Amino acid sequence: MSPVAVLRLPLTTDLSGFVGLLRRLRVPHRVSEEAGEQVLWVPNAQLADDIRVLYQRFPEGDPTYELPAAELGATYARPGFVQQLRNSPVTTLVLLLCLVVGAVTLLGDQFDTLSWLTFLDFRVRGDYITFMPLADSLAAGQWWRLVTPMLVHFGILHLAMNGMWYWELGRRIESREGSWHLLGLTLLFSLVSNYTQYLVSGPTLFGGLSGVLYGLLGHCWIFQWLAPNPVYRLPRGVLIMMLVWLLLCLSGLISMLGFGAIANGAHVGGLIIGCITGLVGGALARRAG
């Protein structure tokens, strides 16, 4: 569910006492500054109604106020893991597909199965690998190859890291813009990042969600810059870390340290298309107010 703005108050209003009350009651909330106002956000509409009533009673907070334990647990408990999965069906589906593909391809070691999911079909003969032209695969109706490399991972660490970041970024977009929107962005980012990697590296084996992840990162980054909202507000350290990692990969240092070949083309292509969609989406959201 998308966060709900509970209060919009002038910057001169002192909210510190009321925010302190919310913290003591363990109420999930966030305060942001937008268009010359301070905005108090909560996770859902039901909670918003309760907080408005609470603010009318205690605008400056109250160090002695307590909610009944039953009411506190029912109203403010964070959703459990199963509920989070239900709230983010596309995020869950993509991660589940990555796990299934990882199992059936033995994380890239089962070439017969892997060859059906890579950007280019290939055959292994002894110590040599032969790639088939992309046009031949597309002519045979194998259009899925344009996006399925995002499901392929080479090693458990590769899968775990990409899965963790997709869970973090995918849920943000799914809660803010909807499941179908996330699905469309995921397929678009996969298509652009895969094709960019193919143009950069030529016929090679590559895969993983990292190109999509940089697309999601760019989307949230630029969207939030144009139309600030608490869902897309990423910690500054996360953004800096991801961009520094991209630069290190581009420098060749990561490959020199023995981490294997890095799909730099996919990372850059994903980030660029993500920034473009974030620019369009953020501009539309800002125009809509």
Side-chain angles (χ1 to χ4, degrees):
M1 289 182 278
S2 300
V4 177
V6 182
L7 301 170
R8 292 182 179 273
L9 301 169
L11 295 177
T12 54
T13 301
D14 184 6
L15 266 179
S16 59
F18 187 69
V19 167
L21 174 61
L22 295 182
R23 288 175 179 167
R24 187 167 56 82
L25 296 176
R26 294 179 295 161
V27 177
H29 66 280
R30 183 187 299 271
V31 179
S32 65
E33 180 181 332
E34 301 179 14
E37 295 179 315
Q38 51 183 334
V39 184
L40 176 66
W41 301 84
V42 295
N44 56 65
Q46 178 185 357
L47 187 55
D49 293 338
D50 294 340
I51 298 306
R52 290 191 186 98
V53 173
L54 188 64
Y55 183 74
Q56 291 175 0
R57 295 179 61 187
F58 306 109
E60 298 179 358
D62 184 344
T64 64
Y65 180 75
E66 296 287 350
L67 282 177
E71 181 182 348
L72 182 65
T75 305
Y76 304 118
R78 292 187 178 183
F81 181 67
V82 174
Q83 186 60 46
Q84 292 182 52
L85 295 178
R86 292 175 179 172
N87 292 342
S88 309
V90 170
T91 304
T92 302
L93 175 62
V94 171
L95 293 178
L96 180 60
L97 288 175
C98 287
L99 290 173
V100 171
V101 169
V104 299
T105 63
L106 301 180
L107 291 175
D109 289 337
Q110 176 51 262
F111 289 148
D112 290 340
T113 307
L114 185 66
S115 65
W116 283 95
L117 300 170
T118 50
F119 196 78
L120 297 178
D121 191 9
F122 66 90
R123 299 291 182 270
V124 177
R125 296 181 177 88
D127 295 332
Y128 296 92
I129 182 170
T130 303
F131 290 95
M132 309 302 166
L134 177 62
D136 291 354
S137 297
L138 298 182
Q142 299 176 4
W143 290 87
W144 66 81
R145 293 185 180 278
L146 298 176
V147 296
T148 50
M150 73 176 181
L151 304 176
V152 174
H153 290 84
F154 304 97
I156 190 65
L157 183 60
H158 188 205
L159 175 59
M161 292 298 294
N162 281 351
M164 179 189 70
W165 281 111
Y166 190 82
W167 174 252
E168 175 63 29
L169 297 173
R171 285 186 304 150
R172 290 174 182 263
I173 293 177
E174 194 163 7
S175 68
R176 176 65 173 78
E177 300 183 64
S179 298
W180 287 108
H181 201 94
L182 173 63
L183 179 61
L185 289 178
T186 298
L187 295 176
L188 173 63
F189 297 161
S190 181
L191 172 63
V192 172
S193 61
N194 290 335
Y195 193 71
T196 303
Q197 182 61 37
Y198 170 64
L199 293 178
V200 170
S201 65
T204 55
L205 283 179
F206 59 86
L209 274 170
S210 52
V212 174
L213 296 178
Y214 272 101
L216 299 180
L217 178 72
H219 182 83
C220 291
W221 177 22
I222 303 301
F223 194 112
Q224 163 69 13
W225 179 57
L226 291 173
N229 66 90
V231 179
Y232 287 177
R233 182 177 293 108
L234 298 171
R236 186 177 298 274
V238 169
L239 180 62
I240 293 175
M241 181 192 70
M242 294 285 282
L243 295 178
V244 168
W245 177 259
L246 176 62
L247 293 176
L248 289 175
C249 291
L250 289 171
S251 71
L253 178 62
I254 302 301
S255 297
M256 291 173 57
L257 293 176
F259 285 90
I262 305 296
N264 292 315
H267 294 173
V268 174
L271 181 61
I272 292 174
I273 187 61
C275 288
I276 292 174
T277 61
L279 180 65
V280 173
L284 292 174
R286 183 178 185 132
R287 183 175 181 181

